[in-house]
Structure formats: C-alpha cells, structure tokens
C-alpha cells in the first residue's frame, strides 16, 4: 500500500483500522477511552465520525498500545499490524544452549526442516559423526550434560539421515581435523586409538550416506565462519556458546545460507576428496 495518502483517505483508513483492532480485543469503547486517557465521546468520534482530521500523536500512540498494534499500521504507513518489538521477536529468537537443555529444541528444528537441505558449520567435529567413545571422552567433564545425553542426541540426528528426510552439508575448517589428528588444542589428551576410531567412523558414515551427506573442508585463513546451521528456507541459527541466535526472516536466512555456500565454493577439499585426506591424517596418528 502506498504511504502517500490524501489526509481525508488516511483519516478514513485510521477509523477503519481502529474499529477492526477494537473488534479483535476484549475492550469496549469505555475501556479503550480509559486506557487512552480520553473521554468516551472522543473514542466514539474516532470510530464513527467523518472528520478529515487525525487525532494527535499521543492519542494515536496510546490507542495503538492499548490495542496491541503498531501506530504506523493505524495511520496506514504499513500493512503489518504487529508492533516492531513483536515483529523482531517473531523473526529473531535467543535460545539458551548449555550443552544439554537444547537437545530437544535442536531435534525439533531438524524435524521441522525435513525435506530441506540442512547446512552446518560445527564448533568442533559434529556430534552426529562422533563415535560413542569420543562423546564419552568429550562430555565427561561437562556439568550440564552427560555422555549418555550426548550419545542419544547424536543418534537421534543420525536417524534423521537414515530416514532419508533431508540432505546434509557440513563445512569445517581444515585445521579442525588437523588439530584433532594431532591431539592439539581442544583435542589435547585424546588417546590415539580414539582418534583412529573416530576417523574410521567418519569414513564409514561418509561412504554410507554420500551424496546425501556431503562434507567440505575450508581454509579458515581465507574464510572464517562462526558455528551456524541453516534449516532450509525456514531459519538460520548461530551458535554463540551459551545460546543460539535463530533468525527466521528470509533476508537473514538467505544471507547466512549464502555465507555457507561461499565456504563450499572455496573449500580446499570437497566431499569426494575427503576420504583421501582423512586416510593421510590417519596414517600420521601416533
């Protein structure tokens, strides 16, 4: 709807939308007048009068607040009746992520995106690819999550791949697997046998699910990425460590998916080259 309206047309539209908004609430003219801070007669004039004049800004703002709509919508400046804060809440969600409490939320996101391609940049090697012994080693020190919980969550997501509901693309920095194979950084102290078994597990799953599961390795010196997951066109989620930031509006989902696509395009190893790279890493584990 064009924002440029004749003042009389805008006044008519204001009355129509004020009437519409009032009809969708439990308020009557008297209670609305009380909420706005005006006489009942003033509300009656706003609803049924034929004056080409609009009420003052205070009355418009208080009316919008009382009725749970935006002042811009009442004035015909937008076709969306939601308030800005409500629109933001609908398109952006912050979810707590203490490595235990969000397993059901993550699984629900995956299930909701069934049939769409899911794109993932993990914080470490993805749990869905890990051996049980790797998960036990990793989650043993965790206060918020047990190894059994981690194994159960990983198996749930692996089952989604077995059910053939979605394609999965995973992009990781090359250095993540290098550090893993050498037991450096995050993986310090990981026994050699665990590392060998873990590489064998990735090779096994890659062979079992390719091309449904595709794994790419990118150079983080050229392109950096925070941990993200894109659930088809539905939403994109950024992992912040203690919380997830989930976006649902098309513009941001597309932007994050385009970022993921750039990681794939610029990858040092694509999914067909991955097995050979893993075999080389495996041979050098000691």
């Amino acid at each position: 709807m064009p924002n440029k309206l004749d003042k009389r047309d805008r006044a008519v539209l204001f009355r129509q939308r004020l009437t519409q908004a009032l009809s969708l609430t439990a308020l009557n003219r008297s209670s609305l007048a009380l909420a706005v801070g005006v006489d009942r007669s003033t509300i009656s004039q706003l609803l049924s009068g034929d004056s080409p004049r609009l009420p003052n800004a205070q009355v418009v703002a208080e009316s919008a607040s009382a009725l749970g709509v935006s002042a811009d919508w009442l004035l015909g400046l937008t076709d969306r009746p939601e308030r800005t804060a409500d629109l933001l809440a609908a398109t952006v969600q912050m979810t707590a992520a203490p490595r235990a409490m969000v397993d059901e939320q993550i699984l629900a996101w995956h299930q909701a995106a069934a049939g769409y391609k899911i794109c993932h940049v993990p914080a470490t090697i993805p749990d869905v690819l890990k051996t049980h012994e790797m998960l036990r080693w990793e989650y043993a020190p965790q206060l918020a999550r047990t190894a059994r919980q981690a194994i159960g969550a990983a198996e749930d997501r692996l089952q989604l791949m077995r059910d053939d509901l979605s394609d999965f693309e995973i992009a990781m920095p090359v250095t993540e697997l290098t550090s893993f194979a050498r037991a450096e950084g995050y993986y310090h102290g990981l026994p050699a046998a665990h590392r060998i078994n873990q590489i064998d597990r990735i090779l096994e799953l890659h062979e079992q699910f390719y091309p449904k599961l595709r794994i790419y390795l990118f150079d983080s010196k050229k392109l950096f990425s925070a941990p993200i997951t894109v659930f088809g066109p539905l939403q994109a989620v950024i992992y912040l460590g203690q919380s997830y930031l989930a976006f649902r509006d098309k513009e941001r989902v597309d932007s994050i998916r385009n970022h993921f696509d750039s990681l794939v395009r610029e990858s040092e190893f694509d999914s067909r080259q991955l097995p050979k790279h893993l075999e080389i890493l495996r041979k050098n584990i000691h």
Side-chain angles (χ1 to χ4, degrees):
M1 176 182 294
N3 287 338
K4 185 66 174 178
L5 291 176
D6 176 86
K7 65 178 182 179
R8 182 177 293 275
D9 291 336
R10 193 177 299 280
V12 170
L13 183 60
F14 174 83
R15 287 196 295 274
Q16 292 172 344
R17 290 189 169 181
L18 187 66
T19 302
Q20 177 185 343
L22 181 60
S23 69
L24 297 175
T25 71
L27 299 176
N28 55 32
R29 294 188 179 193
S30 296
S31 53
L32 178 59
L34 182 63
V36 175
V38 297
D39 295 332
R40 186 183 186 282
S41 60
T42 300
I43 296 298
S44 296
Q45 289 176 354
L46 293 177
L47 291 169
S48 56
D50 57 3
S51 171
R53 298 181 60 184
L54 289 166
N56 63 45
Q58 181 69 17
V59 170
V60 173
E62 294 297 339
S63 297
S65 178
L67 296 171
V69 297
S70 75
D72 283 352
W73 179 74
L74 286 178
L75 293 171
L77 300 175
T78 177
D79 286 333
R80 299 293 298 267
E82 302 94 336
R83 292 170 292 193
T84 301
D86 295 333
L87 283 172
L88 185 61
T91 56
V92 182
Q93 177 187 12
M94 184 79 78
T95 302
R99 298 196 82 170
M101 307 303 291
V102 295
D103 289 340
E104 291 185 3
Q105 176 64 82
I106 295 172
L107 183 61
W109 286 338
H110 278 269
Q111 291 171 332
Y116 294 113
K117 182 172 71 174
I118 296 175
C119 306
H120 182 44
V121 179
T124 63
I125 293 174
D127 282 6
V128 71
L129 302 181
K130 289 174 182 171
T131 63
H132 289 186
E133 64 185 1
M134 176 70 184
L135 288 167
R136 291 189 190 99
W137 174 87
E138 182 175 15
Y139 288 100
Q142 294 294 328
L143 298 177
R145 186 182 197 186
T146 67
R148 181 177 297 180
Q149 287 173 313
I151 290 170
E155 289 296 334
D156 286 341
R157 272 173 272 171
L158 192 60
Q159 187 60 47
L160 292 178
M161 281 196 279
R162 293 194 180 101
D163 291 342
D164 198 34
L165 298 178
S166 299
D167 283 355
F168 292 81
E169 286 192 345
I170 296 172
M172 291 187 287
V174 174
T175 52
E176 187 68 31
L177 287 178
T178 303
S179 296
F180 165 79
R182 296 175 180 174
E184 296 175 344
Y186 181 83
Y187 304 101
H188 177 72
L190 182 62
H194 285 21
R195 285 176 273 148
I196 290 172
N197 291 340
Q198 179 58 70
I199 288 181
D200 288 344
R201 176 63 170 169
I202 297 175
L203 287 168
E204 174 192 347
L205 292 175
H206 181 270
E207 181 178 359
Q208 179 181 351
F209 290 109
Y210 181 81
K212 182 180 182 58
L213 169 66
R214 298 181 293 278
I215 303 172
Y216 302 86
L217 304 179
F218 62 90
D219 185 349
S220 56
K221 291 182 180 178
K222 295 180 181 178
L223 289 171
F224 171 79
S225 181
I228 61 172
T229 307
V230 183
F231 297 93
L234 304 180
Q235 70 175 350
V237 178
I238 301 175
Y239 178 53
L240 301 178
Q242 294 184 335
S243 59
Y244 288 99
L245 189 60
F247 298 92
R248 298 187 185 88
D249 59 298
K250 183 179 185 301
E251 182 178 358
R252 288 175 177 80
V253 172
D254 287 347
S255 177
I256 295 173
R257 184 176 58 248
N258 290 339
H259 163 71
F260 180 88
D261 290 344
S262 71
L263 298 176
V264 171
R265 285 195 305 271
E266 300 298 328
S267 62
E268 298 292 307
F269 299 94
D270 64 24
S271 206
R272 292 168 297 181
Q273 299 166 319
L274 177 71
K276 183 177 180 180
H277 181 66
L278 289 174
E279 292 286 359
I280 293 172
L281 291 176
R282 190 184 189 282
K283 289 178 181 178
N284 289 308
I285 293 177
H286 51 79

